[in-house]
Amino acid sequence: QAQLVESGGGLVQAGGSLRLSCAVSGRAVTSSSMGWFRQVSGKEREFVAAMPWNSGAMFYGHSVQGRFTISRDNAKNTVYLQMNSLKPEDTAVYHCAASRGNLISGDAPRETSYHFWGQGTQVTVAS
């Protein structure tokens, strides 16, 4: 059973940057496909980014393409989400997720593709 713990959220001004971390225990990130989702209270969870287990092509949601970057540190068993040029509409709780299998582009945005989830970290972008 894997445990995922997110950190790095906070309050930032529009145009600023944040880096979120997802520390994984109980499962190696090198054998997991990893994803980031975000959720605003009262709305559906939105796909943000994903990295297949073989670190092939990354996948990004349309609203963050070109601004956010997903990466991982195998030695630390940690996945990151670098967020640049933040906008007020990026305000949400960000969740890390892990999948036992590989991901293709059609699978990455689906919540059902992931088996383990973190509790989330709040990101607030002030205008």
Side-chain angles (χ1 to χ4, degrees):
Q1 188 78 4
Q3 285 80 45
L4 285 63
V5 179
E6 302 94 337
S7 61
L11 174 64
V12 64
Q13 293 294 316
S17 298
L18 279 176
R19 188 179 77 159
L20 305 184
S21 299
C22 174
V24 182
S25 59
R27 184 173 183 87
V29 295
T30 51
S31 59
S32 305
S33 296
M34 302 298 299
W36 286 94
F37 287 75
R38 66 187 182 187
Q39 189 168 24
V40 176
S41 180
K43 295 187 177 181
E44 292 187 357
R45 197 169 288 182
E46 178 189 6
F47 170 70
V48 175
M51 170 185 289
W53 69 271
N54 61 356
S55 295
M58 312 301 176
F59 307 117
Y60 295 94
H62 293 302
S63 61
V64 307
Q65 183 81 40
R67 299 187 297 123
F68 290 12
T69 303
I70 186 171
S71 64
R72 75 183 188 203
D73 185 326
N74 296 340
K76 295 182 178 180
N77 216 42
T78 298
V79 176
Y80 302 99
L81 184 68
Q82 177 67 43
M83 306 186 296
N84 299 328
S85 302
L86 283 161
K87 306 174 181 179
E89 51 264 43
D90 294 319
T91 295
V93 176
Y94 283 72
H95 296 271
C96 177
S99 172
R100 297 188 187 99
N102 198 16
L103 293 175
I104 59 175
S105 60
D107 295 333
R110 299 193 184 110
E111 293 182 52
T112 53
S113 297
Y114 301 87
H115 305 94
F116 308 101
W117 291 83
Q119 291 298 309
T121 185
Q122 176 71 47
V123 171
T124 303
V125 184
S127 58

